[in-house]
Amino acid sequence: MARYTGLIERYRERLPVAADARIITLGEGNTPLIRLENIPGSTGKDVELYVKYEGLNPTGSFKDRGMTMAITQAVNEGSQAVLCASTGNTSASAAAYAARAGITSCVIIPEGKIAMGKLAQAMMHGAVVIQIEGNFDDGMGLVKEIAAEAPVTLVNSVNPYRLQGQKTAAFEIVDELGRPPDFHCLPVGNAGNISAYWTGYSEYAGLTTRACSFCDDQCPYRSDPVADRLPRMLGYQASGAAPFLRGEMVEGPETVASAIRIGRPQSWDLAWAASRESEGWFAEFSDEDILAAQAMLADKEGIFCEPASAISVAGAMRDIKAARIPAGSTVVCTLTGHGLKDPDIAIRQSRAPVTKVSADLDTVKKAILDNM
Ligand code: AN7
């Protein structure tokens, strides 16, 4: 089998990449689709529940899928510098891919509000890091203004190459399951990813027409890709940062899941279209519920994701229990980022005892037995 060299090579015929472009890749994509074994039992319903573990991308989040495309295109256009606003993962990814390409990156982040691992990444990859006394939405407004007049390429998801790269996650899932899932659950912040998955499923379904269980050869919708059993897209938000639940932009968003602390999503219309066309829905969760889901994945399945990612599993479980997702369904949740991104929150919320004792045999033996 050929060596895996990233998602552009793998899905090249479905991506807008110039034939002679220098591909800027770190081997992103091709992430595991893991079937959960222990958690589904606690829902009391018989479902096939999978997680797409995007934390295993090169910089630890799904952003690398879009960034390989955006930076490849920027380099192909002769750009010397890229710019983004970020809650942390976009900046980590932009910094890494810019370093790989040998160009400059500048990242605008909300002061004190990005996880430590993400800040460390931007710094190590040599980004110009600007912390603003404001939130992500303020940063987004600023970078759009700067990019309109300065010779820099904006690599937030308003850059269409980003969503093109991110749609490949849906391709991988269909390739692996042999069909689209019935439901796809995602955290929603800036709303680019839910839009990208919907694009990916829609494009792929058009290519892989298959019988649906409700119709026969005479059915007038049979060749309609949207009717051809595409997944319903379920978007989950933190209650303090839930513009899709409020039906309007939110000022001053707040949540422990700093990745999705976003009140003015840039892909507002696209995400509504994904939800409406797929007959999906949005729902919201408290910070407490988000952290409980993160802990449960780590404790019951051995999978460590960041808080924002865990909201997809919190959502799937609640909707399975409530039978909004019916028994017999195949469900995929995207775990967007790795748990190691945000060690502070993990340690602060963990209830696992860490016992300190002197380094002698009897004391250590007793401490082990006492804590088993
Ligand atoms: C782990 O890095 O917006 O709805 O600036 O890092 O496509 O925005 C991150 C978003 C979910 C939300 N999970 O995805 C940024 C940024 C994680 C994330 C989202 C983000 P979108």
Side-chain angles (χ1 to χ4, degrees):
M1 211 160 84
R3 195 170 72 89
Y4 182 79
T5 54
L7 60 84
I8 292 181
E9 286 304 341
R10 176 149 177 205
Y11 292 111
R12 193 161 189 144
E13 72 277 17
R14 308 197 200 296
L15 292 169
V17 181
D20 60 349
R22 174 183 160 211
I23 307 299
I24 311 299
T25 178
L26 292 166
E28 59 294 314
N30 197 24
T31 55
L33 185 66
I34 306 170
R35 183 161 178 185
L36 298 186
E37 295 179 343
N38 304 317
I39 287 177
S42 65
T43 65
K45 300 269 168 33
D46 179 28
V47 290
E48 261 182 54
L49 185 53
Y50 296 86
V51 293
K52 181 72 169 158
Y53 195 13
E54 291 286 279
L56 292 192
N57 275 294
T59 78
S61 87
F62 72 98
K63 302 288 183 181
D64 295 341
R65 290 182 185 275
M67 211 52 74
T68 184
M69 283 294 294
I71 302 289
T72 294
Q73 177 63 18
V75 168
N76 195 45
E77 289 170 1
S79 179
Q80 291 296 315
V82 296
L83 173 70
C84 67
S86 182
T87 58
N89 279 325
T90 299
S91 52
S93 186
Y97 282 78
R100 177 80 164 169
I103 63 174
T104 303
S105 64
C106 178
V107 305
I108 310 286
I109 55 173
E111 184 187 13
K113 293 291 186 179
I114 83 167
M116 198 167 57
K118 304 174 188 179
L119 179 60
Q121 289 176 292
M123 293 169 71
M124 283 301 286
H125 294 305
V128 175
V129 180
I130 313 281
Q131 302 203 50
I132 56 168
E133 295 167 355
N135 62 26
F136 170 83
D137 301 310
D138 300 324
M140 199 62 229
L142 292 166
V143 295
K144 284 207 270 187
E145 281 192 50
I146 295 165
E149 54 193 46
V152 293
T153 303
L154 188 58
V155 294
N156 281 104
S157 54
V158 292
N159 176 327
Y161 291 91
R162 281 277 314 277
L163 299 195
Q164 285 294 311
Q166 286 172 212
K167 76 183 181 184
T168 60
F171 296 170
E172 289 176 14
I173 291 165
V174 176
D175 284 345
E176 199 160 333
L177 294 178
R179 63 180 183 86
D182 300 307
F183 294 87
H184 192 114
C185 307
L186 286 151
V188 173
N190 217 16
N193 212 27
I194 193 168
S195 310
Y197 270 88
W198 182 239
T199 301
Y201 282 126
S202 302
E203 283 182 15
Y204 231 43
L207 299 164
T208 59
T209 306
R210 67 193 71 246
C212 95
S213 47
F214 303 108
C215 69
D216 59 25
D217 290 336
Q218 312 308 314
C219 172
Y221 298 107
R222 196 171 169 83
S223 58
D224 176 354
V226 176
D228 182 26
R229 288 196 71 251
L230 288 178
R232 299 172 78 166
M233 304 301 296
L234 312 186
Y236 300 105
Q237 299 211 282
S239 292
F244 287 96
L245 280 300
R246 307 292 166 258
E248 60 183 12
M249 302 300 171
V250 169
E251 296 307 315
E254 264 318 332
T255 168
V256 68
S258 59
I260 51 172
R261 187 170 168 270
I262 296 173
R264 281 181 249 147
Q266 296 296 311
S267 296
W268 177 256
D269 293 337
L270 287 175
W272 277 115
S275 185
R276 192 180 52 244
E277 289 168 16
S278 74
E279 296 174 10
W281 57 78
F282 293 103
E284 65 184 287
F285 284 86
S286 67
D287 283 358
E288 207 181 356
D289 290 340
I290 293 170
L291 294 177
Q294 184 197 21
M296 183 165 65
L297 269 164
D299 189 48
K300 303 278 183 236
E301 302 281 0
I303 299 170
F304 192 21
C305 67
E306 65 174 287
S309 309
I311 201 170
S312 61
V313 172
M317 286 185 62
R318 187 164 77 189
D319 287 336
I320 291 165
K321 276 186 193 154
R324 250 185 132 180
I325 296 176
S329 299
T330 299
V331 183
V332 175
C333 300
T334 300
L335 298 183
T336 44
H338 203 291
L340 290 173
K341 292 269 189 178
D342 200 346
D344 294 327
I345 296 284
I347 291 171
R348 217 183 310 155
Q349 74 137 333
S350 176
R351 279 181 294 274
V354 177
T355 308
K356 183 178 163 185
V357 295
S358 60
D360 70 84
L361 187 59
D362 288 342
T363 314
V364 173
K365 273 190 191 161
K366 181 172 183 311
I368 292 170
L369 290 173
D370 286 351
N371 284 289
M372 292 271 263

